[in-house]
Amino acid sequence: MKIDILTLFPEMFDSPFNASIVKRAQEKGLVEINTVNIRQFALNKHLQVDDYPYGGGAGMVLKADVLGEAIENSRTEGSWVIYMSPQGKLLDQAKVREIAGKKHLIILCGHYEGVDERVMDVVDEEISIGDYILTGGELPAMVLVDAVVRLIPGVLGDRLSAQEESFSHKLLEYPHYTRPAVYKGKKIPEVLLSGHHEKIRLWRKKQSLLSTLLKRPELLLDREYDEEERALLEEILFSGGSKE
Ligand code: 4GN
């Protein structure tokens, strides 16, 4: 996959993409991430990228002609142009999976009051990472790229992470433990030491259901249940709060 990020602040992307998994993904050639400074497409000698809004009002608007040139410069056959905006479709794991299947992403980061509306004609999709306003689209772009890159085959190794697997089942992840076996007097759940793989699988499934019920109950309404899950939910709901 190729990802071009169009921004006035390319230096903001230096650290997040040069660490850990995203860094290794680039080194392995699984993704190519470029930042493109929108200012290089400024059309006048003042390198102007924004201007006052028609009709008056506070703030500046990024110019359609400059952004149009920037997008045209990156566009390829099969590229997908995304504008990070609080007005976009809310990002969720299903949307991340969809975007992870694209060959070439062009991600436009806005600033100030926004972009000239006429740029939307060359934007394929507007995406929001949540119902809040940030000073620019750069942090949302980083969130999107991170979520997408970890789904590219080979980035996390052969098996998808448990987190993705669990989310695709619309349940939260079960709790994890590592050494020491006792920490501040707290023991790890005994079943994890049993070596009994089937028991461990069932315990984890039950913990996933319990955790979802306690933390994100609305997720439980939006999925289907097999026989095993029904039995585990019944245990949870009618156990009277015992830890078994
Ligand atoms: C995206 C962009 C929040 C999001 C942004 C979001 C920059 N804030 N929720 N801020 O994904 C006006 C012009 C605000 C660009 C935009």
Side-chain angles (χ1 to χ4, degrees):
M1 177 185 272
K2 182 175 189 230
I3 304 177
D4 296 321
I5 299 161
L6 315 187
T7 171
L8 286 169
F9 304 97
E11 66 282 359
M12 281 182 74
F13 293 84
D14 290 351
S15 46
F17 296 159
N18 284 310
S20 186
I21 293 168
V22 179
K23 180 183 186 185
R24 223 180 13 142
Q26 292 180 88
E27 287 167 353
K28 284 202 211 163
L30 298 171
V31 62
E32 176 192 335
I33 304 174
N34 305 301
T35 54
V36 177
N37 193 334
I38 291 167
R39 199 169 297 277
Q40 74 182 92
F41 299 95
L43 296 158
N44 62 26
K45 64 173 190 293
H46 309 289
L47 299 186
Q48 185 186 7
V49 294
D50 55 2
D51 208 338
Y52 299 99
Y54 273 116
M60 302 293 271
V61 177
L62 290 178
K63 287 160 60 61
D65 47 6
V66 174
L67 295 177
E69 281 298 311
I71 292 168
E72 250 357 277
N73 176 259
S74 282
R75 192 188 289 287
T76 59
E77 201 178 284
S79 58
W80 188 251
V81 182
I82 296 173
Y83 175 52
M84 304 310 303
S85 147
Q87 298 172 37
K89 183 184 183 279
L90 279 183
L91 186 65
D92 61 13
Q93 194 62 19
K95 177 54 80 178
V96 172
R97 265 178 236 130
E98 194 184 306
I99 294 172
K102 307 279 184 196
K103 272 189 63 172
H104 180 196
L105 302 179
I106 299 172
I107 306 174
L108 175 62
C109 306
H111 240 272
Y112 316 114
E113 282 313 293
V115 305
D116 188 305
E117 189 63 27
R118 292 167 290 183
V119 172
M120 289 306 133
D121 292 350
V122 292
V123 166
D124 293 305
E125 166 165 60
E126 231 176 317
I127 289 180
S128 166
I129 63 160
D131 286 333
Y132 41 81
I133 319 286
L134 303 169
T135 57
E138 283 77 11
L139 286 166
M142 290 176 211
V143 168
L144 175 64
V145 169
D146 189 280
V148 164
V149 167
R150 63 188 287 291
L151 294 191
I152 295 172
V155 169
L156 294 183
D158 40 65
R159 190 182 165 284
L160 267 195
S161 84
Q163 305 280 347
E164 164 67 7
E165 218 154 72
S166 134
F167 230 103
S168 66
H169 298 132
K170 298 186 181 168
L171 289 179
L172 300 186
E173 182 65 330
Y174 53 78
H176 300 273
Y177 298 90
T178 187
R179 290 188 290 180
V182 185
Y183 171 66
K184 291 192 176 171
K186 291 185 276 246
K187 290 186 188 146
I188 66 165
E190 204 143 3
V191 63
L192 299 179
L193 295 169
S194 69
H196 197 308
H197 299 300
E198 178 60 11
K199 268 191 187 161
I200 292 171
R201 188 187 64 78
L202 272 175
W203 179 86
R204 285 177 166 166
K205 187 83 184 213
K206 187 172 176 179
Q207 292 298 312
S208 278
L209 286 161
L210 180 59
S211 174
T212 311
L213 180 68
L214 294 176
K215 299 178 182 178
R216 296 288 307 278
E218 76 280 11
L219 293 179
L220 293 178
L221 295 171
D222 190 35
R223 67 188 297 281
E224 306 208 55
Y225 294 86
D226 63 25
E227 206 59 32
E228 183 177 282
E229 291 168 343
R230 286 172 185 279
L232 290 169
L233 257 184
E234 186 168 301
E235 282 178 35
I236 290 169
L237 294 170
F238 302 109
S239 68
S242 93
K243 288 256 173 158
E244 279 311 299

